Amino acid sequence: MSAAEETGVEEQPWGEVSPDAARRLLIAAVEAFAERGYHATTTRDIAGRAGMSPAALYIHYKTKEELLHRISGIGHDKALAILRTAADGEGTAAERLAAAVRSFVGWHAAHHMTARVVQYELDALGEEHRTEIVALRRQTDAAVREIINDGVRAGEFDVPDVPGTTLAVLSLCIDVARWFNAAGRRTPDEVGALYADLVLRMVGARPEAGAQK
Protein backbone atom coordinates (compact mmCIF):
# COMPACT_ATOMS: atom_id res chain seq x y z
CA MET A 1 0.00 0.00 0.00
CA SER A 2 1.35 3.41 -0.93
CA ALA A 3 1.38 6.51 1.24
CA ALA A 4 -1.27 7.98 -1.03
CA GLU A 5 -3.50 4.93 -0.60
CA GLU A 6 -2.98 4.05 3.07
CA THR A 7 -6.33 5.60 3.92
CA GLY A 8 -9.43 6.32 1.92
CA VAL A 9 -10.35 9.28 4.12
CA GLU A 10 -8.45 11.96 2.24
CA GLU A 11 -9.23 12.54 -1.43
CA GLN A 12 -5.87 14.22 -1.91
CA PRO A 13 -3.29 13.13 0.66
CA TRP A 14 -0.84 15.90 1.59
CA GLY A 15 -3.08 18.39 -0.19
CA GLU A 16 -1.45 21.20 1.79
CA VAL A 17 1.78 20.66 -0.17
CA SER A 18 2.14 22.41 -3.51
CA PRO A 19 2.94 22.45 -6.36
CA ASP A 20 1.96 18.96 -7.47
CA ALA A 21 5.55 17.92 -8.13
CA ALA A 22 6.55 18.78 -4.57
CA ARG A 23 3.61 16.78 -3.25
CA ARG A 24 4.51 13.75 -5.39
CA LEU A 25 8.08 13.88 -4.12
CA LEU A 26 6.91 14.12 -0.52
CA ILE A 27 4.59 11.12 -0.92
CA ALA A 28 7.43 9.16 -2.51
CA ALA A 29 9.70 10.10 0.38
CA VAL A 30 7.14 8.88 2.93
CA GLU A 31 6.94 5.52 1.16
CA ALA A 32 10.72 5.17 0.91
CA PHE A 33 11.45 6.26 4.48
CA ALA A 34 8.75 3.95 5.86
CA GLU A 35 9.97 0.94 3.89
CA ARG A 36 13.75 1.42 4.03
CA GLY A 37 14.41 3.95 6.76
CA TYR A 38 15.70 7.47 6.30
CA HIS A 39 19.41 6.66 6.19
CA ALA A 40 19.05 3.80 3.70
CA THR A 41 17.01 5.94 1.31
CA THR A 42 18.73 8.03 -1.36
CA THR A 43 17.42 11.06 -3.18
CA ARG A 44 17.56 8.94 -6.34
CA ASP A 45 15.21 6.42 -4.69
CA ILE A 46 12.74 9.18 -3.89
CA ALA A 47 12.88 10.80 -7.32
CA GLY A 48 12.48 7.41 -9.01
CA ARG A 49 9.35 6.59 -7.01
CA ALA A 50 7.90 9.95 -8.00
CA GLY A 51 8.71 9.34 -11.66
CA MET A 52 11.10 12.26 -11.73
CA SER A 53 14.81 12.86 -12.17
CA PRO A 54 17.08 13.41 -9.15
CA ALA A 55 17.74 16.92 -10.42
CA ALA A 56 14.02 17.68 -10.27
CA LEU A 57 13.94 16.88 -6.56
CA TYR A 58 16.38 19.67 -5.75
CA ILE A 59 14.10 22.24 -7.36
CA HIS A 60 11.63 21.68 -4.54
CA TYR A 61 13.77 20.39 -1.65
CA LYS A 62 17.37 21.36 -1.09
CA THR A 63 18.20 18.20 0.83
CA LYS A 64 16.75 14.85 1.85
CA GLU A 65 16.64 16.17 5.40
CA GLU A 66 14.45 19.07 4.29
CA LEU A 67 11.96 16.55 2.94
CA LEU A 68 11.92 14.70 6.27
CA HIS A 69 11.45 17.98 8.12
CA ARG A 70 8.45 18.88 5.96
CA ILE A 71 6.87 15.45 6.51
CA SER A 72 7.56 15.56 10.24
CA GLY A 73 6.24 19.08 10.66
CA ILE A 74 2.95 18.42 8.89
CA GLY A 75 2.48 15.12 10.71
CA HIS A 76 3.15 16.56 14.14
CA ASP A 77 0.88 19.54 13.45
CA LYS A 78 -1.95 17.16 12.57
CA ALA A 79 -1.36 14.99 15.65
CA LEU A 80 -1.30 18.04 17.91
CA ALA A 81 -4.49 19.42 16.35
CA ILE A 82 -6.27 16.13 17.06
CA LEU A 83 -5.29 16.21 20.73
CA ARG A 84 -5.95 19.92 21.23
CA THR A 85 -9.44 19.56 19.76
CA ALA A 86 -10.19 16.88 22.35
CA ALA A 87 -8.52 18.75 25.23
CA ASP A 88 -10.46 21.94 24.46
CA GLY A 89 -13.74 20.15 23.83
CA GLU A 90 -16.77 19.78 26.05
CA GLY A 91 -17.54 16.90 28.38
CA THR A 92 -15.94 15.25 31.36
CA ALA A 93 -12.24 14.52 31.52
CA ALA A 94 -12.98 10.86 30.82
CA GLU A 95 -15.01 11.73 27.73
CA ARG A 96 -12.31 14.08 26.46
CA LEU A 97 -9.52 11.59 27.12
CA ALA A 98 -11.44 8.84 25.35
CA ALA A 99 -12.10 11.16 22.39
CA ALA A 100 -8.42 12.15 22.26
CA VAL A 101 -7.22 8.56 22.26
CA ARG A 102 -9.79 7.38 19.71
CA SER A 103 -8.82 10.14 17.29
CA PHE A 104 -5.07 9.97 17.93
CA VAL A 105 -4.92 6.19 17.58
CA GLY A 106 -7.25 6.26 14.60
CA TRP A 107 -4.93 8.67 12.79
CA HIS A 108 -1.84 6.58 13.57
CA ALA A 109 -3.59 3.47 12.26
CA ALA A 110 -5.17 5.00 9.14
CA HIS A 111 -1.90 6.77 8.30
CA HIS A 112 0.45 4.13 9.71
CA MET A 113 3.07 4.54 6.99
CA THR A 114 3.26 8.30 7.45
CA ALA A 115 3.10 7.97 11.23
CA ARG A 116 6.09 5.62 11.30
CA VAL A 117 8.19 8.25 9.56
CA VAL A 118 6.82 11.13 11.64
CA GLN A 119 7.27 9.41 14.99
CA TYR A 120 10.41 7.32 14.54
CA GLU A 121 12.80 9.29 12.33
CA LEU A 122 13.23 12.27 14.66
CA ASP A 123 16.93 11.62 15.25
CA ALA A 124 17.65 11.97 11.53
CA LEU A 125 16.71 15.65 11.60
CA GLY A 126 19.33 18.36 11.92
CA GLU A 127 19.64 20.15 15.24
CA GLU A 128 17.53 23.18 14.29
CA HIS A 129 14.73 21.13 12.78
CA ARG A 130 14.82 18.58 15.59
CA THR A 131 14.43 21.36 18.16
CA GLU A 132 11.37 22.63 16.30
CA ILE A 133 9.74 19.18 16.21
CA VAL A 134 10.58 18.47 19.85
CA ALA A 135 8.69 21.66 20.75
CA LEU A 136 5.62 20.29 18.95
CA ARG A 137 6.00 17.01 20.83
CA ARG A 138 6.03 18.90 24.11
CA GLN A 139 2.76 20.56 23.17
CA THR A 140 1.33 17.13 22.37
CA ASP A 141 2.43 15.90 25.79
CA ALA A 142 0.91 18.98 27.42
CA ALA A 143 -2.48 18.41 25.76
CA VAL A 144 -2.78 14.88 27.14
CA ARG A 145 -1.39 15.88 30.52
CA GLU A 146 -3.96 18.68 30.73
CA ILE A 147 -6.84 16.23 30.32
CA ILE A 148 -5.42 13.80 32.87
CA ASN A 149 -4.82 16.60 35.37
CA ASP A 150 -8.42 17.75 34.88
CA GLY A 151 -9.59 14.23 35.64
CA VAL A 152 -7.48 13.98 38.76
CA ARG A 153 -8.74 17.32 40.07
CA ALA A 154 -12.34 16.31 39.37
CA GLY A 155 -11.90 12.97 41.13
CA GLU A 156 -12.54 11.06 37.91
CA PHE A 157 -9.06 9.56 37.64
CA ASP A 158 -6.75 7.84 40.10
CA VAL A 159 -3.30 8.75 38.77
CA PRO A 160 -0.42 9.07 41.27
CA ASP A 161 2.11 9.98 38.53
CA VAL A 162 0.58 12.22 35.88
CA PRO A 163 3.78 12.83 33.82
CA GLY A 164 4.61 9.14 33.75
CA THR A 165 1.07 8.17 32.85
CA THR A 166 0.98 10.79 30.10
CA LEU A 167 4.14 9.29 28.60
CA ALA A 168 2.66 5.79 28.82
CA VAL A 169 -0.56 6.86 27.11
CA LEU A 170 1.26 8.57 24.25
CA SER A 171 3.69 5.68 23.81
CA LEU A 172 0.82 3.19 23.66
CA CYS A 173 -1.02 5.24 21.05
CA ILE A 174 1.98 6.01 18.86
CA ASP A 175 3.13 2.39 18.76
CA VAL A 176 0.03 1.51 16.73
CA ALA A 177 1.91 2.83 13.69
CA ARG A 178 4.49 0.05 14.10
CA TRP A 179 2.11 -2.89 13.86
CA PHE A 180 -1.14 -1.78 12.24
CA ASN A 181 -2.02 -3.73 9.11
CA ALA A 182 -4.71 -2.36 6.83
CA ALA A 183 -5.52 -5.94 5.82
CA GLY A 184 -5.97 -6.98 9.44
CA ARG A 185 -9.24 -7.75 11.18
CA ARG A 186 -9.61 -4.37 12.94
CA THR A 187 -10.29 -1.02 11.33
CA PRO A 188 -8.59 2.17 12.54
CA ASP A 189 -11.81 3.19 14.29
CA GLU A 190 -12.04 -0.17 16.05
CA VAL A 191 -8.45 0.07 17.24
CA GLY A 192 -9.13 3.61 18.44
CA ALA A 193 -12.13 2.44 20.46
CA LEU A 194 -10.13 -0.44 21.96
CA TYR A 195 -7.30 1.84 23.02
CA ALA A 196 -9.68 4.44 24.46
CA ASP A 197 -11.06 1.73 26.74
CA LEU A 198 -7.53 0.61 27.71
CA VAL A 199 -6.42 4.15 28.54
CA LEU A 200 -9.49 4.82 30.69
CA ARG A 201 -8.61 1.68 32.65
CA MET A 202 -5.04 2.94 33.01
CA VAL A 203 -6.20 6.16 34.65
CA GLY A 204 -8.69 4.41 36.92
CA ALA A 205 -11.85 5.62 35.18
CA ARG A 206 -14.87 3.43 34.54
CA PRO A 207 -14.73 2.34 30.86
CA GLU A 208 -18.29 3.55 30.26
CA ALA A 209 -17.37 7.01 31.56
CA GLY A 210 -15.73 7.92 28.26
CA ALA A 211 -18.01 5.94 25.99
CA GLN A 212 -18.81 7.69 22.72
CA LYS A 213 -22.35 8.99 22.72
Side-chain angles (χ1 to χ4, degrees), residues 93-95 97 147-152 154-159 200 203-205:
E95 289 169 342
L97 183 59
I147 301 173
I148 296 176
N149 272 322
D150 287 347
V152 172
E156 293 183 53
F157 301 158
D158 180 14
V159 181
L200 289 178
V203 298

Side-chain angles (χ1 to χ4, degrees), residues 4-170:
E5 298 170 339
E6 63 181 350
T7 176
V9 175
E10 294 177 326
E11 293 183 0
Q12 187 184 49
W14 303 95
E16 61 271 78
V17 178
S18 62
D20 180 68
R23 187 175 70 87
R24 285 165 50 202
L25 285 164
L26 187 141
I27 291 172
V30 169
E31 294 173 359
F33 294 159
E35 291 175 13
R36 306 187 62 185
Y38 174 83
H39 293 294
T41 298
T42 66
T43 53
R44 184 174 294 275
D45 294 331
I46 296 168
R49 285 172 182 261
M52 301 167 69
S53 70
L57 184 149
Y58 295 110
I59 295 174
H60 302 283
Y61 303 98
K62 294 178 182 178
T63 63
K64 184 176 70 167
E65 191 267 354
E66 183 178 319
L67 254 173
L68 178 61
H69 173 242
R70 184 84 167 110
I71 294 165
S72 190
I74 292 172
H76 278 88
D77 280 339
K78 287 184 176 181
L80 177 58
I82 287 169
L83 293 176
R84 281 262 44 112
T85 296
D88 297 338
E90 298 181 354
T92 66
E95 289 169 342
R96 288 184 287 132
L97 183 59
V101 171
R102 276 195 301 268
S103 300
F104 196 58
V105 167
W107 186 85
H108 279 78
H111 303 267
H112 53 279
M113 184 180 292
T114 298
R116 284 201 300 273
V117 177
V118 168
Q119 299 292 357
Y120 297 114
E121 293 287 2
L122 177 65
D123 289 342
L125 291 171
E127 183 176 355
E128 181 179 352
H129 287 160
R130 186 167 57 250
T131 298
E132 177 187 323
I133 299 303
V134 166
L136 289 173
R137 284 179 176 246
R138 287 175 179 156
Q139 292 181 58
T140 297
D141 179 278
V144 175
R145 187 181 304 193
E146 176 184 322
I147 301 173
I148 296 176
N149 272 322
D150 287 347
V152 172
R153 284 192 294 267
E156 293 183 53
F157 301 158
D158 180 14
V159 181
D161 183 350
V162 172
T165 301
T166 298
L167 177 60
V169 169
L170 287 170

